[in-house]
């Protein structure tokens, strides 16, 4: 092997090694970003599930006879709950007696849920008790 062949072979080796390292670095960076995004999404889901757990604990407690008033109360209640570190919670009472719960991170990942106070039994009147068999 003469000097020219050795120089060309070493240049090809250095170039291919450099390209391989760049590809490896790029895919490692992408994997870190994907993992961080997954962790942000998991935090948001946990925040939404915590809010729904609060609603489940309140289930069946009549807050107001009117579902619109109950949705306003529900929005205020959910807004007062502590949100996790790095999580921004926005709650709003929407037309149709619905509550929109939106959580987001600084990284731009966001999730939202539409909640109905009627689904949790927070509005409406209590049903009348059925007569017992002894009264008949």
């Amino acid at each position: 092997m003469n000097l020219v062949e050795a120089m060309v072979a070493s240049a090809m080796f250095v170039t291919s090694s450099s390209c391989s390292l760049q590809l490896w670095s790029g895919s490692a960076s992408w994997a870190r970003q994907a993992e961080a995004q997954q962790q942000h999404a998991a935090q948001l889901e946990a925040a939404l599930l915590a809010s729904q757990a609060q609603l489940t604990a309140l289930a069946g407690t009549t807050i107001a006879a009117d579902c619109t008033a109950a949705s306003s109360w529900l929005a205020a209640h959910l807004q007062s709950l502590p949100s996790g570190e790095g999580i921004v919670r926005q709650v709003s009472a929407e037309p149709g007696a619905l509550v929109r719960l939106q959580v987001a991170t600084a990284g731009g990942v966001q999730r939202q849920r539409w909640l109905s106070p009627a689904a949790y039994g927070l509005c409406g009147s209590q049903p009348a008790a059925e007569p017992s068999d002894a009264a008949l």
Side-chain angles (χ1 to χ4, degrees):
M1 184 182 269
N2 61 24
L3 182 60
V4 173
E5 290 175 338
M7 298 274 293
V8 169
S10 65
M12 288 176 58
F13 176 74
V14 168
T15 303
S16 66
S17 297
S18 174
C19 289
S20 294
L21 285 174
Q22 285 178 350
L23 287 173
W24 179 77
S25 173
S27 58
S29 174
W30 179 83
R32 280 193 304 272
Q33 289 174 351
E35 179 66 27
Q37 192 172 19
Q38 284 289 78
Q39 287 177 351
H40 288 265
Q43 286 176 335
L44 294 178
E45 286 298 321
L48 287 174
L49 288 175
S51 297
Q52 285 183 301
Q54 287 286 327
L55 292 177
T56 302
L58 292 171
T61 305
T62 302
I63 302 301
D66 181 27
C67 287
T68 304
S71 68
S72 297
W73 179 89
L74 181 59
H77 177 72
L78 290 175
Q79 189 65 42
S80 69
L81 294 176
S83 58
E85 185 177 326
I87 295 176
V88 177
R89 178 183 308 178
Q90 295 177 344
V91 184
S92 60
E94 301 290 331
L98 293 174
V99 175
R100 183 175 67 98
L101 171 62
Q102 182 179 9
V103 290
T105 62
V109 180
Q110 66 180 4
R111 298 283 188 267
Q112 75 175 7
R113 297 269 163 80
W114 291 89
L115 305 168
S116 171
Y120 291 96
L122 300 178
C123 61
S125 60
Q126 295 289 345
E130 293 183 20
S132 65
D133 289 338
L136 296 175

